[in-house]
Amino acid sequence: MPVESGSAAARQAKQKRKSHSLSIRRTNSTEQERSGLQRDMLEGQESKLPLSVRSNLLDLFSQIEREFENIYIENLELRREIETLNDRLAADGQAFEGADLAKGALKTKASHSTSQLSQKLKTTYKASTSKPRSNSCHARVGGSRNFSVTSWELWGGDSWIVSSFKATTSRAVCQLVKEYVGHRDGIWDLSVTRTQPMVLGTASADHSAMLWSIETGKCLLKYMGHQGSVNSIKFHPTEQMALTASGDQTAHIWRYMVQLPTPQPVADISQTPCEEDVDFSDKDEADNEVEGPIDCPSVRVATTTLRSHQGVVIAADWLVGGKQVVTASWDRAANLYDVETSELVHSLTGHDQELTHCCTHPTQRLVVTSSRDTTFRLWDFRDPSIHSVNVFQGHTDTVTSAVFTVGDNVVSGSDDRTVKVWDLKNMRSPIATIRTDSAVNRISVSVNQKIIALPHDNRQVRLFDMSGVRLARLPRSNRQGHRRMVCCSAWCEDNTSCNLFTCGFDRQAIGWNINIPALLQEK
């Protein structure tokens, strides 16, 4: 009798353990008891699965359960730490709620650190591709762990830490018209010629610059004179000359002659609303390897080589009239050159850190330079005897670009995820601020309607007006749009087929047709 009562008690204990086996909050049972419990469950349940499969599944669920238990214990410890901190702050007359602390200071700190990480990776990659012997790079960040820049951009930068910006909606039509594929590495910059024949130019980390037919997407010419990453390309206002800046510490001026191919009928592309957004898998992106053009003619010798910088030349532009050019470098200086003599006219110093961009006014002798020191500077050369300098402060992180509008405005973009519109007559504060969810790269403003195109680290391209109202987001659905960081945008309102161009680290440039009247109508 005592033996029977003992066995009955054991069966009751087994049943009790079975009823609580799937609970996340478990008691501290031993591994032997856990394995015995699994065997009891297998014997007491009917299933068509083989016994070995059921056993493996139970092992996996047990591991998941242990992970949840560890997370739960860590959560309890963190809550106790927050309560202890609140007690200390309460003694000083201050207190924070746990939720507010997590969503406020901690989120801000994490967001800022992630943005810094993204900037470090981009900077390291540019420095690496500036060397002739290296076309790829791994940046070492945060100790001994290595991060692949290509993989980082594949993730979409730091977009995973914040949700998409959904302040406004628009159903205006934005069509992807043409893709320009042929570079072997990321494309940093692009520009459209100001004279006929109208062609698209791209500057890439693969040490080359290419000229493309806008209508056909065919490569017309490839410039291979640089020994480092080509970081910028701009065209002469009246002649068939291009200006490129490179990581080899030089800027080149070279002439080109191209013949446009016969335009082909444009394929019927279904109209895609601008607000659709579907991410692509990393596997699909990795499979899209791009081969360079086979029959593209090349130019290897520059007409003029500008050599005065002691660091990477990150950008260059023509002053109005095309007789002078300005270059921006990581040596913290911008240089003004005479095109005919190649002589250095002025060295523009004052920035505390590396320069990131430079831009000239379309009709006046004005230059704006951007820097990692969170400022951009306006240089005035309208009076030959006086060269005034104005400093614009307002960003909290690297100013990635600052560009002029036709009027008296400057638009600046930054890694602090904001774009600011400034009045040249009032430098103290911006007249409009656009807040986004990702770092902003080289922006552009349309000449006629003053629409700002924002290329982002998170693969998005958004359109805003000068007052800060979002007009559209370019489509990323049905495998359309960029699949990695978008580096630059450029408007070309004179072209009927494509009036906006973008490029990025997916090694392609894209031509878009933006229905500007529809955008303004829905404003």
Side-chain angles (χ1 to χ4, degrees):
M1 294 295 292
V3 176
E4 294 178 359
S5 62
S7 61
R11 286 194 298 270
Q12 291 178 358
K14 276 185 184 178
Q15 293 175 356
K16 185 176 181 180
R17 286 198 302 269
K18 287 168 62 178
S19 64
H20 292 83
S21 61
L22 298 179
S23 173
I24 293 178
R25 300 181 60 183
R26 299 179 292 114
T27 58
N28 296 326
S29 59
T30 63
E31 291 299 325
Q32 291 81 2
E33 291 175 341
R34 194 187 312 276
S35 60
L37 178 60
Q38 292 176 357
R39 287 194 298 271
D40 293 340
M41 293 181 63
L42 289 175
E43 295 173 356
Q45 296 179 0
E46 293 183 359
S47 175
K48 295 182 180 180
L49 293 174
L51 186 63
S52 59
V53 175
R54 296 171 64 190
S55 179
N56 290 334
L57 287 175
L58 285 174
D59 289 339
L60 292 175
F61 280 118
S62 297
Q63 294 177 23
I64 294 173
E65 190 176 1
R66 285 194 294 273
E67 291 296 329
F68 270 104
E69 184 178 32
N70 292 334
I71 294 174
Y72 179 75
I73 294 173
E74 291 177 2
N75 189 22
L76 292 179
E77 293 176 355
L78 288 174
R79 286 180 178 274
R80 283 195 293 269
E81 291 179 6
I82 292 176
E83 290 175 359
T84 303
L85 179 61
N86 274 334
D87 293 340
R88 293 178 182 177
L89 294 176
D92 298 332
Q94 300 178 2
F96 296 94
E97 293 294 334
D100 293 339
L101 183 63
K103 294 181 180 179
L106 293 180
K107 181 177 179 180
T108 302
K109 183 178 179 180
S111 174
H112 182 66
S113 63
T114 309
S115 179
Q116 286 181 334
L117 177 63
S118 177
Q119 177 62 26
K120 286 181 180 179
L121 291 170
K122 289 188 290 185
T123 302
T124 307
Y125 188 79
K126 283 188 178 181
S128 173
T129 53
S130 301
K131 301 177 182 178
R133 293 175 294 177
S134 175
N135 282 331
S136 61
C137 153
H138 286 81
R140 182 178 295 273
V141 181
S144 61
R145 184 176 181 183
N146 290 329
F147 288 88
S148 169
V149 175
T150 302
S151 298
W152 173 261
E153 300 302 347
L154 201 64
W155 299 340
D158 53 12
S159 61
W160 52 273
I161 201 170
V162 280
S163 59
S164 298
F165 184 71
K166 300 286 186 180
T168 60
T169 57
S170 172
R171 306 305 295 179
V173 175
C174 304
Q175 283 186 292
L176 187 154
V177 178
K178 188 67 64 175
E179 294 179 341
Y180 307 89
V181 180
H183 279 292
R184 296 179 180 270
D185 210 332
I187 304 176
W188 291 118
D189 195 28
L190 80 172
S191 179
V192 181
T193 56
R194 309 184 200 183
T195 59
Q196 297 295 333
M198 188 173 293
V199 297
L200 173 69
T202 55
S204 171
D206 65 5
H207 300 187
S208 72
M210 290 186 181
L211 304 186
W212 307 83
S213 167
I214 295 178
E215 284 74 17
T216 65
K218 179 182 178 181
C219 177
L220 305 175
L221 186 69
K222 184 175 184 178
Y223 180 70
M224 304 177 64
H226 284 291
Q227 300 300 313
S229 169
V230 185
N231 301 320
S232 172
I233 182 169
K234 289 291 185 292
F235 293 101
H236 192 277
T238 58
E239 300 182 34
Q240 292 188 9
M241 292 194 298
L243 170 66
T244 51
S246 174
D248 59 12
Q249 303 185 5
T250 67
H252 290 182
I253 298 174
W254 44 279
R255 292 186 176 274
Y256 63 90
M257 292 184 62
V258 295
Q259 183 175 1
L260 296 180
T262 303
Q264 299 175 354
V266 179
D268 185 16
I269 303 176
S270 59
Q271 295 181 346
T272 306
C274 295
E275 291 301 317
E276 294 187 6
D277 184 13
V278 177
D279 288 337
F280 308 124
S281 66
D282 292 352
K283 181 178 179 181
D284 291 339
E285 295 176 29
D287 292 339
N288 289 340
E289 296 295 332
V290 178
E291 295 295 334
I294 299 176
D295 57 350
C296 183
S298 62
V299 174
R300 297 178 181 271
V301 180
T303 305
T304 303
T305 301
L306 306 176
R307 311 174 184 269
S308 294
H309 286 291
Q310 303 301 315
V312 170
V313 183
I314 198 65
D317 202 358
W318 302 86
L319 267 73
V320 58
K323 296 182 178 181
Q324 291 180 328
V325 298
V326 61
T327 58
S329 171
W330 283 5
D331 62 9
R332 305 184 182 184
N335 290 341
L336 190 67
Y337 296 92
D338 183 270
V339 173
E340 185 176 356
T341 63
S342 305
E343 294 182 356
L344 177 64
V345 179
H346 294 289
S347 183
L348 313 178
T349 59
H351 282 290
D352 295 330
Q353 294 189 38
E354 295 91 338
L355 272 63
T356 57
H357 191 250
C358 66
C359 181
T360 60
H361 196 281
T363 59
Q364 304 181 61
R365 290 178 55 82
L366 298 173
V367 175
V368 61
T369 56
S370 310
S371 171
R372 293 186 62 190
D373 62 10
T374 73
T375 71
F376 64 94
R377 293 176 177 242
L378 174 66
W379 311 81
D380 191 346
F381 297 99
R382 289 176 292 186
D383 189 341
S385 60
I386 302 175
H387 301 148
S388 61
V389 181
N390 295 321
V391 181
F392 289 73
Q393 297 177 338
H395 289 287
T396 59
D397 207 335
T398 299
V399 181
T400 54
S401 64
V403 298
F404 290 100
T405 66
V406 176
D408 294 328
N409 296 116
V410 173
V411 183
S412 60
S414 171
D415 276 341
D416 65 7
R417 307 179 182 181
T418 66
V419 173
K420 298 179 183 289
V421 182
W422 307 78
D423 189 343
L424 293 179
K425 301 176 182 178
N426 181 13
M427 305 178 300
R428 296 183 179 179
S429 61
I431 59 178
T433 298
I434 301 170
R435 304 186 186 279
T436 69
D437 62 356
S438 180
V440 181
N441 296 309
R442 293 182 175 178
I443 60 178
S444 64
V445 183
S446 63
V447 175
N448 298 327
Q449 302 297 339
K450 293 185 179 181
I451 299 176
I452 311 171
L454 277 58
H456 290 286
D457 272 6
N458 66 356
R459 302 169 288 178
Q460 298 287 351
V461 180
R462 295 185 174 95
L463 307 181
F464 288 80
D465 66 7
M466 294 289 287
S467 61
V469 176
R470 195 180 79 172
L471 303 176
R473 180 177 61 198
L474 300 193
R476 291 190 65 251
S477 62
N478 300 326
R479 301 201 61 79
Q480 291 186 3
H482 288 286
R483 294 181 289 275
R484 298 188 187 177
M485 176 183 74
V486 189
C487 299
C488 181
S489 63
W491 287 95
C492 181
E493 294 173 281
D494 295 333
N495 190 276
T496 56
S497 59
C498 303
N499 54 3
L500 176 64
F501 299 90
T502 57
C503 64
F505 249 69
D506 52 4
R507 308 180 186 182
Q508 68 173 342
I510 298 179
W512 306 87
N513 183 272
I514 310 299
N515 193 338
I516 295 180
L519 291 180
L520 300 178
Q521 184 177 0
E522 295 188 7
K523 181 177 175 180

